[in-house]
Amino acid sequence: MNTKKSTNTRSTCVVVIALGAAVVSAFTGCGSGNSDSTPDAMTTVPAADAAVGDTWSSFAAEFLNTYCGECHGAGDTLRDYTLLPSVQSEMAKIRCGVSATSLSGCAIPAGQFPIGNGAKPTDLDRQRLVDWIENGSPE
């Protein structure tokens, strides 16, 4: 009995899980069974989707400048959110008030920050800031 084996039957699958965020999947030919073609180009998942990669300089500083800077910008003697140490001293409050959902241990209601009529962050960006805080607020 003659058995013929296909030599190119593997497909590539990539699944990225962002901590505390939605699961992002990029599939390239998964289960296609197409052994006659060359491998598909892999879909790139932006690093920003993996909040673990967010830093002060790559995300948090701009978030705080955009949504908090009008009231807590340079020159605010109590809360100058252009400075990482000032943000770090308020981290627990920021985490609770920025979050789109209620978090345990929070007396400040979710979604309260930013206060005012200015621009509001998306729920995804809110979650990214919370994740950045929970990941130790890397610089």
Side-chain angles (χ1 to χ4, degrees), residues 21-43:
V23 175
V24 178
S25 301
F27 297 98
T28 56
C30 294
S32 68
N34 185 356
S35 60
D36 297 329
S37 65
T38 57
D40 299 321
M42 194 176 340
T43 302

Side-chain angles (χ1 to χ4, degrees), residues 40-96:
D40 299 321
M42 194 176 340
T43 302
T44 303
V45 178
D49 287 339
V52 176
D54 285 332
T55 64
W56 169 255
S57 58
S58 73
F59 174 72
E62 182 63 29
F63 178 100
L64 292 159
N65 182 54
T66 300
Y67 302 111
C68 311
E70 188 174 321
C71 296
H72 304 295
D76 183 331
T77 57
L78 183 60
R79 292 182 177 101
D80 180 350
Y81 289 171
T82 64
L83 305 172
L84 181 57
S86 183
V87 172
Q88 288 171 325
S89 71
E90 299 281 322
M91 211 66 87
K93 292 177 188 175
I94 294 169
R95 176 183 165 270
C96 292

